[in-house]
Amino acid sequence: GASVWIILSKLVDYTVVQIGNEDFYRHWDKFSALRYFAFAVLGTILSVRKYGDPILRRRAKPVEAVTPAIRTVIADMIDTMYDEIGLGLAAPQIGVPLRLMVVGDEESREARALINPVITEQGGEITAEEGCLSLPGVFAPVPRAEWVRLEAQDPEGRPVAP
């Protein structure tokens, strides 16, 4: 099972090198069919990209439409986030170059997907110890805004309520 996933993943990675990153990202949905097949056959826990992976440094593209494929990615991201014992996961962290993230609630264990999120307002500052799934085992104090307002869509394509 895992070896099939590795072969399919390497095939997609090889395709990126052969056709160039820009063309790959422009036609991501077409090339991702191999990975969707692998997810369906092998399960929904995805590999989290680690620090140093070039996709983590690229600007993600907006999600143009909320499709069944995007909903599948969201479900897989939620499964992966909880399997990795995380509270948040961005699509580039699983190799998907789109503006999409999932966040979990520590108390309820419910997750929420945010499609094309944009911070519209923020205020205050708070510092708390944080970790990152792409930097396993590293925890450090990180200053952040104490509160934020954002615009985003949910998996049904509706605006997220504040």
Side-chain angles (χ1 to χ4, degrees), residues 71-125:
R71 287 187 192 99
T72 298
V73 169
I74 290 169
D76 293 346
M77 287 176 65
I78 291 169
D79 289 345
T80 301
M81 177 182 70
Y82 284 135
D83 185 68
E84 294 281 334
I85 311 172
L87 290 175
L89 184 66
Q93 289 179 280
I94 57 154
V96 176
L98 296 175
R99 287 184 33 215
L100 168 64
M101 64 185 284
V102 295
V103 292
D105 184 309
E106 289 182 81
E107 294 175 20
S108 70
R109 297 282 297 166
E110 291 183 24
R112 183 175 204 179
L114 301 171
I115 300 167
N116 297 325
V118 175
I119 295 174
T120 58
E121 195 176 343
Q122 60 185 332
E125 186 175 297

Side-chain angles (χ1 to χ4, degrees), residues 8-88:
L8 288 174
S9 182
K10 292 294 181 195
L11 178 60
V12 171
D13 291 342
Y14 176 77
T15 304
V16 172
V17 171
Q18 293 305 305
I19 66 168
N21 286 339
E22 289 308 310
D23 287 334
F24 176 78
Y25 293 118
R26 195 175 7 244
H27 303 290
W28 177 80
D29 279 332
K30 294 175 185 135
F31 291 107
S32 66
L34 287 174
R35 287 193 174 172
Y36 285 124
F37 172 76
F39 298 159
V41 171
L42 303 174
T44 59
I45 305 303
L46 311 177
S47 176
V48 175
R49 302 290 180 103
K50 303 301 183 227
Y51 176 77
D53 190 309
I55 195 169
L56 298 175
R57 304 285 300 169
R58 283 193 201 99
R59 186 176 206 78
K61 305 285 185 188
V63 174
E64 293 180 12
V66 181
T67 63
I70 293 297
R71 287 187 192 99
T72 298
V73 169
I74 290 169
D76 293 346
M77 287 176 65
I78 291 169
D79 289 345
T80 301
M81 177 182 70
Y82 284 135
D83 185 68
E84 294 281 334
I85 311 172
L87 290 175

